[in-house]
Structures are given as C-alpha cells and as structure tokens.
Amino acid sequence: MTSEPVRVGDAVWPGTNAYVQWFVPVDPRPVSVLFVHGGGGQGSDFVTTPDCRPGWVHRFLRSGYATYVLDRPGHGRSAWNDNVLGPAVPASNYHALYPRFVEPAQHRLWPEASKHTRWPSDPLAGDRFMASQGPMAVTLAASQLHVEAVAAQLFELTGPTIIVSHSMGGPCGWALAAIGGDQVEAVIAVEPLGYPRMVHPLGTFNNGMVTTEYRGRHDPFARPIALVTGEATWMREANSRAADYLRVKAPTFEHFLLEEHDITGNGHMLMGESNSDEIADIMIRWLDRVLARDLR
C-alpha cells in the first residue's frame, strides 16, 4: 500500500507506504483481525515469538479469523525514507531495551519488575528480539499521520476487522479506528501507550489517547474495547489511567489485568513471552462474547 510518489528535486520516491501480510483460514469468520505493532517493532512480532513458537497470528487463525499483519510505514518490510517520512529516532540498543523487556527482574527499574518470569528461556530469544527493533518517528504525531495516510487502502484489504494494537501502536490503532468507523468491530489495546495529558518524550497526549487531531471523522471509541496489562510491566499506572478514560468513552469496556485471570509474571512484550497463547485465548474468548452480543 502506498500514497502518491514524493518528488524532492530530481528524485522521486514511493510515498508513505506500508507492508501487509495476511493469513486466511478455509472458512473464515465474517470479521478479520488487524495487528498493529508498537515502537520500533514490526508485524513479525505477532507472527513468531522470540523462541520461534507460532505467535498470536496463528492462535487467532486457528479460531477462524483471517489475520492481517501491518508493518507500519518505515518499519519492518516498509523501509524508512527520511525524504518521505521525515527524521527517525535510531534503533534502540541492548542497554536501553534489555532492562525493560528481557531482564526486568534483574534491573528492577519499577516496583513490579521483580515479578517478571515470562521471558522465553531460549538463550537466543533476547538477540532475536533486538534484531527486530528498528527506527521510529521522532514524534507520536508523525507516527499517527503515517498510518492515517495508508488507512483507506488498509481497510479495503481487511474488510470488517478487529484492531489488536500494542504499545506505541495503541495511538495508531485509535487513529485507524477514527478512519475505519463501522468497519472496526472492536479494539483490543495491549499495553497501549498513553492517557489524557500524559507527557511523553515524543509528544504530549493533548487529544485524549493521542497527541494530535485525528484525520478520521468517526469516534474511535464507539465500539467494544478491551485493554490488556501484564503483572510485571512498567505500564500498569499508565494503563490504569487509560482504562479510566476508555471506561467512560466505550459502549463496552473491559480491562484485563492478567494476574486477576491467573496469568502471572508478564512484562510488556506479551505476544512474545512464554505464555503468549494463554493471553491470546483470553482475548479470543472476550471477542466471542462481545461480538455475539452485538449480533443479537
């Protein structure tokens, strides 16, 4: 998917573009699932775990959902081009990410970090995770604008869909829902970044769950919404504030604090941790309930 080519001087490049991979079962449900990755990650975060198990894509696929995996513009299989997307924050290094994703219990940068036990035991899992991390936009507003530019073509592919977003993909998910309108049946925000008036190095959340105005004309919260938070993540307080906001905005809302469902020890990278299938199953059961209710 790409917007109009961009000309700078005598050079012409493809416009804002994104890569989408999809998997469709033999007899799919009438609604698909769209996965929106976070930060400097990529769509492959949902396809395979860092210890090489099938990821959430395959769990949803086995439950009958066609799954669409987005590499946001400038991420994964959609290469970053400063001339089109603007400047980028360089890819993070081991020192920045290991204490937050791979080894929280060793570094204890936040109170719940000591509970982290779910990073895969495969000794190469951390290296594989780091290899997947690339650059990202210098502002959250730019990241939002990038996905908004490809949204119309994206929804042509997915048809009626459920957005499953993660971390910095959370604001992008809300922006997509504002464009998709009735095509977006539900949103599952997995440890989404942001809450109203949150100050972040890449922007202040001056527009509820995003930092800037939406290009879409629809209410992004006018559908069932679930928020998922791990026991050992640094996102717990921020997610609690987001839940307070979403509980008022959404017609149906549920905040899954995983330890309350006997799923313990999880950090921020829920789709890649050792019990990722259990977490996917909670989300699938919730969708079965809310979508069946909406169809009655």
Side-chain angles (χ1 to χ4, degrees):
M1 301 179 304
T2 184
S3 61
E4 291 295 317
V6 171
R7 180 183 293 275
V8 179
D10 293 331
V12 181
W13 288 279
T16 303
N17 62 86
Y19 188 97
V20 183
Q21 181 181 22
W22 59 87
F23 305 81
V24 181
V26 172
D27 186 20
R29 299 190 190 213
V31 60
S32 69
V33 172
L34 169 64
F35 290 99
V36 182
H37 67 82
Q42 54 187 287
S44 63
D45 295 339
F46 297 104
V47 179
T48 308
T49 66
D51 57 344
C52 301
R53 290 174 292 114
W56 282 358
V57 160
H58 302 282
R59 201 69 170 186
F60 279 81
L61 189 66
R62 289 197 298 272
S63 294
Y65 290 99
T67 56
Y68 292 80
V69 185
L70 175 68
D71 282 345
R72 292 192 283 113
H75 297 262
R77 291 161 288 188
S78 175
W80 194 278
N81 185 339
D82 289 359
N83 296 287
V84 176
L85 301 176
V89 175
S92 295
N93 59 34
Y94 281 71
H95 178 74
L97 296 189
Y98 253 55
R100 288 190 170 272
F101 290 86
V102 181
E103 302 172 338
Q106 294 183 32
H107 298 270
R108 303 195 178 198
L109 298 181
W110 58 93
E112 298 85 2
S114 62
K115 299 177 182 179
H116 185 249
T117 60
R118 295 296 189 172
W119 188 257
S121 60
D122 185 329
L124 293 178
D127 295 317
R128 294 187 187 114
F129 164 70
M130 290 300 304
S132 73
Q133 300 301 299
M136 57 186 176
V138 297
T139 67
L140 293 168
S143 292
Q144 178 181 327
L145 183 65
H146 296 160
V147 296
E148 288 172 331
V150 300
Q153 292 180 62
L154 181 59
F155 288 122
E156 287 180 10
L157 280 175
T158 66
T161 196
I162 299 150
I163 295 174
V164 177
S165 64
H166 175 243
S167 194
M168 280 189 178
C172 294
W174 308 127
L176 287 170
I179 291 175
D182 291 343
Q183 277 194 273
V184 180
E185 299 282 347
V187 175
I188 300 178
V190 180
E191 303 226 342
L193 176 68
Y195 56 82
R197 296 175 296 282
M198 176 184 177
V199 178
H200 185 273
L202 302 185
T204 299
F205 284 74
N206 290 318
N207 185 28
M209 294 294 288
V210 297
T211 62
T212 190
E213 295 298 317
Y214 295 109
R215 291 181 70 182
R217 60 183 178 82
H218 302 284
D219 179 357
F221 312 114
R223 55 195 40 81
I225 294 173
L227 195 156
V228 183
T229 306
E231 180 185 38
T233 177
W234 73 87
M235 297 285 281
R236 289 180 68 87
E237 181 181 352
N239 279 186
S240 176
R241 295 188 184 191
D244 289 342
Y245 180 80
L246 294 170
R247 195 171 285 113
V248 174
K249 291 287 187 178
T252 299
F253 176 75
E254 188 156 355
H255 186 189
F256 289 101
L257 294 167
L258 291 180
E259 72 278 7
E260 295 179 356
H261 299 267
D262 298 321
I263 298 178
T264 59
N266 286 104
H268 184 53
M269 200 70 179
L270 298 177
M271 73 290 294
E273 297 203 306
S274 61
N275 58 346
S276 56
D277 281 353
E278 293 179 66
I279 300 168
D281 288 345
I282 277 189
M283 296 188 288
I284 291 167
R285 288 195 296 270
W286 179 78
L287 287 171
D288 287 344
R289 292 199 309 272
V290 300
L291 295 183
R293 184 173 61 207
D294 287 350
L295 291 173
R296 285 203 296 268

